[in-house]
Amino acid sequence: MKFMKLGSKPDSFQTDGNDVRIVGTELATDITIHVGEVKFHLHKFPLLSKSGRIQKLLASPTDSATDIHLNDVPGGATSFEICAKFCYGTVVTLNPHNVISTRCAAEYLEMHESVEKSNLVYKIDVFLSSSVFRSWKDSIIALQTMKTLKSWCEDLKLVARCMECIASKASVDVSKVEWSYTYNRKKLVPSVVPKDWWVEDLTEIELDHFKQIIDAIKTKARVSYQVIGEAVKTYTYKRVPGLSKISVIQGDAKVKTLVDTVTWLLPSEKGSVSCSFLLKLLRAACMLRCAEACKKELGKRIGRQLEEASVNDLLIPTIDGEVTIYDIDMVLNIVEEFLMQDNGGIKEMERPGMNFCNTKGTVAKLVDGYLAEVAKDRNTPLSKFLYLAEMIPNESRPIHDGLYRAVDMYLKEHPNISKGEKKKLCSLLDCRRLSPDACAHAVQNERLPLRLVVQVLFHEQSRTSASASVSAGSTRADNSSVVTSYGSSRSAATTTTTEDDSWDGSAPSVEDGEKRHTTNGDGGDLISG
């Protein structure tokens, strides 16, 4: 930490109780200055020699010549005392913790060069430029002290100067970083400075200052969007450790401001932060009732990297007054945003080993898993369930095991839906895209319409016959094993509800005959008529 000593005389200021300061000299004091609750018994001459404000006050006939009240000194009595000691030539030490408040107090007291050469304002400005604002950690300390003197610091351009120093240092090539910094994460190579070396130090800064620094770093365009995204994420988690917990954030105006601010602060590039983090932000934005524009922006970002999400990430609770447990409309908007990428809406560079066709398959499984969860809510409207299921393109769902599980769960939790509604629901399924395990489960399932069960049996017989021509004995043994493992609730054997719930829908690769059928419609003919 840098510091500067001013003056050479011993400290003659004495304390008489907590609220009185007296200069201990042979000469009697001839002026009392009140700063808040503290009285300073001083001498006029040292003050008049360096403070333009004191000169004006003592020259005014409306003020007492011996009793002056200065209740609005920036930094209060502590900063005023440093200025007063400077006037006496007493030794004072300036450092990043007190230099900003002292600079503001000196400005208030008009301790300029026009009053006396090498006055306090000049000396502090030299110290700031040559020392404090050249140091990474000192600049951050100084910036933190500005939050209680915001208007003064902004008028004196101290905030702008300090933040420019921080942004410039954060933007330098890592090979040129020679100063100390805070970095608690594990370094891959101890001797190498990590690209995000500056991220943790900025978590101590107030939100408005953090925003301005990140904006300045973006403008310089020398830091990657991944590192900037990491900075925003780290700052958010440091400020709100329980970001996705209702008990922590609900009704908190400061958290609401933070969520809105960091949403717009994130780099525009896909992948600047994880999809999981974006979904946590969205969950918080919903619980805090943030502006629709904020939630819409997060939805767009999530849609562009939806393949990274998990089912639990998508289970965003509804706010008070809603009927359903989870916000299905929000997920509908996210999936719609994802699908826009295939319609010329957004074209991004694909990640190595990934293409959009593979991504759509991943999202199809994600949506099917989400449908299985929301199906457990008896207030989930069939219309929304159907709409979300049908949003996924036919070719993106070559296997219907996950969709079958979701449909079966909806039938289980909504036993009173009409025959027509059940027909619409089951029309989502194409038995030719069910794995052998799923088919074996379906033929036992008393919740399914009989016509669909017949279609499943017919398909299984066709598949068995085709396989028999290659390896009849092996195929018969495999099928016998599958059927035996499930039993049949439609025969004398019984199938418990536990077995229905525990079926995990894991399936082998779809057969060639099934792949050819994927382009022949959505399977609605299975229960038609």
Side-chain angles (χ1 to χ4, degrees):
M1 182 186 297
K2 305 291 184 180
F3 65 91
M4 179 176 71
K5 283 190 175 182
L6 299 175
S8 57
K9 297 178 181 179
D11 188 353
S12 57
F13 277 59
Q14 300 172 358
T15 300
D16 184 6
N18 294 328
D19 301 331
V20 178
R21 305 286 188 275
I22 304 172
V23 179
T25 65
E26 296 178 356
L27 296 174
T29 60
D30 55 5
I31 186 172
T32 300
I33 297 181
H34 302 258
V35 182
E37 300 296 324
V38 181
K39 294 180 182 179
F40 289 88
H41 297 286
L42 307 172
H43 301 89
K44 293 180 182 178
F45 178 74
L47 301 177
L48 288 169
S49 67
K50 289 182 170 59
S51 172
R53 190 181 189 94
I54 298 296
Q55 291 178 4
K56 294 173 184 176
L57 289 173
L58 293 180
S60 173
T62 59
D63 287 283
S64 170
T66 59
D67 206 57
I68 296 176
H69 290 263
L70 301 176
N71 294 321
D72 52 350
V73 178
T78 301
S79 297
F80 176 81
E81 184 170 342
I82 293 175
C83 294
K85 286 181 177 181
F86 176 79
C87 294
Y88 278 86
T90 299
V91 174
V92 293
T93 302
L94 296 177
N95 57 56
H97 292 282
N98 64 16
V99 67
I100 297 298
S101 60
T102 304
R103 173 64 178 85
C104 295
E107 186 70 25
Y108 174 88
L109 293 170
E110 300 176 20
M111 301 176 74
H112 301 130
E113 294 299 282
S114 58
V115 179
E116 184 174 272
K117 293 294 182 182
S118 296
N119 211 337
L120 185 56
V121 167
Y122 169 77
K123 289 185 177 293
I124 290 178
D125 284 346
V126 170
F127 178 53
L128 289 172
S129 299
S130 63
S131 184
V132 176
F133 291 161
R134 288 178 177 267
S135 165
W136 169 254
K137 287 204 168 183
D138 287 354
S139 295
I140 291 175
I141 292 171
L143 185 60
Q144 288 177 275
T145 66
M146 296 181 192
K147 59 186 177 183
T148 57
L149 301 166
K150 187 175 180 179
S151 60
W152 277 95
C153 292
E154 288 179 349
D155 290 344
L156 296 173
K157 310 298 182 186
L158 295 174
V159 175
R161 290 170 62 194
C162 190
M163 290 194 297
E164 174 58 26
C165 166
I166 294 172
S168 295
K169 285 191 174 295
S171 300
V172 302
D173 189 283
V174 293
S175 64
K176 298 179 181 179
V177 175
E178 299 176 344
W179 47 84
S180 63
Y181 53 85
T182 303
Y183 196 87
N184 294 320
R185 285 162 287 183
K186 185 178 180 181
K187 299 178 185 179
L188 297 178
V189 183
S191 60
V192 175
V193 177
K195 292 182 179 179
D196 59 346
W197 64 267
W198 50 271
V199 166
E200 289 182 46
D201 282 321
L202 294 196
T203 60
E204 304 299 328
I205 295 174
E206 290 298 302
L207 179 60
D208 56 341
H209 292 160
F210 176 77
K211 177 184 180 302
Q212 292 177 69
I213 290 172
I214 294 297
D215 284 338
I217 292 172
K218 287 181 181 179
T219 301
K220 294 179 186 298
R222 295 198 292 268
V223 177
S224 70
Y225 66 84
Q226 293 96 334
V227 173
I228 294 175
E230 178 67 18
V232 175
K233 184 182 76 171
T234 302
Y235 185 88
T236 304
Y237 280 140
K238 179 65 178 290
R239 292 284 166 162
V240 192
L243 180 62
S244 59
K245 296 179 181 178
I246 298 178
S247 59
V248 174
I249 71 170
Q250 197 168 34
D252 192 323
K254 288 185 178 180
V255 178
K256 182 177 180 179
T257 300
L258 182 142
V259 169
D260 185 74
T261 300
V262 301
T263 295
W264 300 107
L265 199 55
L266 289 168
S268 59
E269 293 87 351
K270 175 181 176 180
S272 60
V273 291
S274 68
C275 189
S276 177
F277 175 68
L278 290 172
L279 280 157
K280 285 183 174 65
L281 279 181
L282 179 59
R283 182 188 295 246
C286 292
M287 289 189 288
L288 293 165
R289 301 177 187 271
C290 290
E292 287 300 317
C294 173
K295 291 185 282 188
K296 186 175 180 179
E297 175 65 17
L298 287 169
K300 285 183 178 180
R301 291 175 178 270
I302 293 165
R304 289 160 57 188
Q305 50 193 96
L306 184 57
E307 70 277 6
E308 301 173 14
S310 69
V311 172
N312 284 337
D313 288 336
L314 292 178
L315 296 177
I316 302 170
T318 53
I319 56 178
D320 296 339
E322 298 290 337
V323 175
T324 58
I325 297 174
Y326 302 113
D327 194 335
I328 302 174
D329 289 332
M330 185 66 70
V331 174
L332 286 170
N333 293 334
I334 291 172
V335 174
E336 183 177 4
E337 188 66 35
F338 167 78
L339 294 172
M340 282 178 60
Q341 297 177 92
D342 198 30
N343 297 325
I346 302 173
K347 295 296 181 184
E348 299 267 5
M349 288 185 64
E350 293 167 349
R351 299 183 181 182
M354 291 289 289
N355 59 54
F356 194 64
C357 291
N358 293 338
T359 300
K360 286 194 291 186
T362 301
V363 170
K365 293 178 182 178
L366 176 68
V367 169
D368 290 346
Y370 177 79
L371 287 170
E373 289 300 318
V374 298
K376 298 174 184 178
D377 180 5
R378 297 197 173 187
N379 290 322
T380 297
L382 179 60
S383 59
K384 290 186 179 181
F385 185 95
L386 292 172
Y387 186 67
L388 180 55
E390 291 169 346
M391 288 181 76
I392 301 301
N394 218 24
E395 66 275 9
S396 300
R397 200 184 263 134
I399 298 177
H400 275 206
D401 288 19
L403 183 59
Y404 167 69
R405 184 188 302 107
V407 168
D408 184 41
M409 183 60 69
Y410 196 93
L411 289 171
K412 177 184 175 183
E413 298 297 333
H414 301 78
N416 297 322
I417 62 174
S418 68
K419 184 177 180 180
E421 290 174 325
K422 183 179 288 190
K423 179 178 179 180
K424 287 181 180 179
L425 181 61
C426 292
S427 70
L428 295 170
L429 297 171
D430 183 345
C431 66
R432 287 161 290 194
R433 301 188 187 191
L434 295 176
S435 68
D437 282 357
C439 288
H441 187 274
V443 298
Q444 312 162 34
N445 194 340
E446 294 183 327
R447 289 186 284 270
L448 298 180
L450 183 59
R451 185 178 296 273
L452 178 58
V453 175
V454 171
Q455 292 290 337
V456 173
L457 286 169
F458 176 78
H459 170 63
E460 276 297 274
Q461 289 175 356
S462 300
R463 179 156 55 186
T464 301
S465 299
S467 300
S469 63
V470 179
S471 179
S474 175
T475 302
R476 281 195 297 272
D478 290 343
N479 288 343
S480 174
S481 173
V482 171
V483 173
T484 301
S485 68
Y486 279 94
S488 175
S489 62
R490 295 185 183 274
S491 63
T494 59
T495 301
T496 65
T497 302
T498 303
E499 287 176 326
D500 288 341
D501 293 341
S502 64
W503 180 74
D504 63 5
S506 58
S509 300
V510 72
E511 296 177 9
D512 291 341
E514 295 172 83
K515 289 182 179 177
R516 286 195 297 271
H517 181 75
T518 60
T519 59
N520 296 332
D522 60 3
D525 58 309
L526 293 177
I527 59 171
S528 61

